[in-house]
Amino acid sequence: ILARARQDGLAKRPVILVPNSIIWKWVQDILRVLPDYRVVVIGSKRKVIQRGERKGYVTSDTDTPQERAEKWSRFQAGEFDVVLLSYTALARTRMSEEAVVAYANSRSAIQREVELSRRNAGARGKLTERQAAILKEGTAAWVAQKLELPEDWEYDPGIRWDDLGVDLLVVDEAQNFKNKHQPEPREGGA
């Protein structure tokens, strides 16, 4: 699909979103069937263990925010034909909050979840700072919470998903992402 989309001019900047554990298998598979493709892995880097009983063993590490930003910049410049992006690196790529809020506002399932959060927060009495924000700000606060990174993570400097020009996104193990905001049993289910 990727090769055909590129051949037909439908995908100039494709990204394949892959679970961290199999990203290097994807590299091998792509290079086996498309040996002329320039593939970059964002979110992982290969390394060879230098000492101990596992010396010489090939493993991988998470790349740094600066390394990811540099790879994204090279992708934007056209140096690579395809990006293999790890699940965790996707979360570290900043997205436009305004665009995500606009998307969330257009999805009834997300709006329902925001309204349930507001209702539940209002019924509790004493609110946490986060609950108060959702009660007051609604969707914008809900989106800010979803886009919040864990404490020891940081966004890739100078990179925004919206500016990358990705025109094809293939998701391996897509079941991990579907049906995130289904009607709940108390709402009659799906």
Side-chain angles (χ1 to χ4, degrees), residues 15-24 40-45 61-63 68 72 83-93 153 161 177:
V15 171
I16 303 175
L17 185 61
V18 180
N20 298 22
S21 60
I22 60 171
I23 201 161
W24 292 102
V40 65
V41 173
I42 298 179
S44 182
K45 60 184 172 190
D61 268 345
T62 302
D63 43 15
R68 289 189 302 274
W72 278 125
V83 166
L84 288 173
L85 179 63
S86 70
Y87 281 8
T88 55
L90 174 64
R92 297 170 185 196
T93 308
W153 286 19
W161 179 262
F177 298 94

Side-chain angles (χ1 to χ4, degrees), residues 52-115:
E53 61 182 63
R54 294 180 65 202
K55 182 177 181 175
Y57 182 78
V58 178
T59 186
S60 63
D61 268 345
T62 302
D63 43 15
T64 67
Q66 292 74 21
E67 289 169 330
R68 289 189 302 274
E70 188 264 332
K71 291 175 187 179
W72 278 125
S73 295
R74 291 175 60 199
F75 172 68
Q76 284 180 294
E79 286 188 42
F80 303 110
D81 296 310
V82 63
V83 166
L84 288 173
L85 179 63
S86 70
Y87 281 8
T88 55
L90 174 64
R92 297 170 185 196
T93 308
R94 187 179 302 278
M95 296 182 186
S96 161
E97 255 186 69
E98 299 80 27
V100 178
V101 168
Y103 174 81
N105 280 330
S106 71
R107 297 291 177 256
S108 59
I110 294 174
Q111 287 304 299
R112 182 177 49 256
E113 187 171 321
V114 170
E115 286 307 313

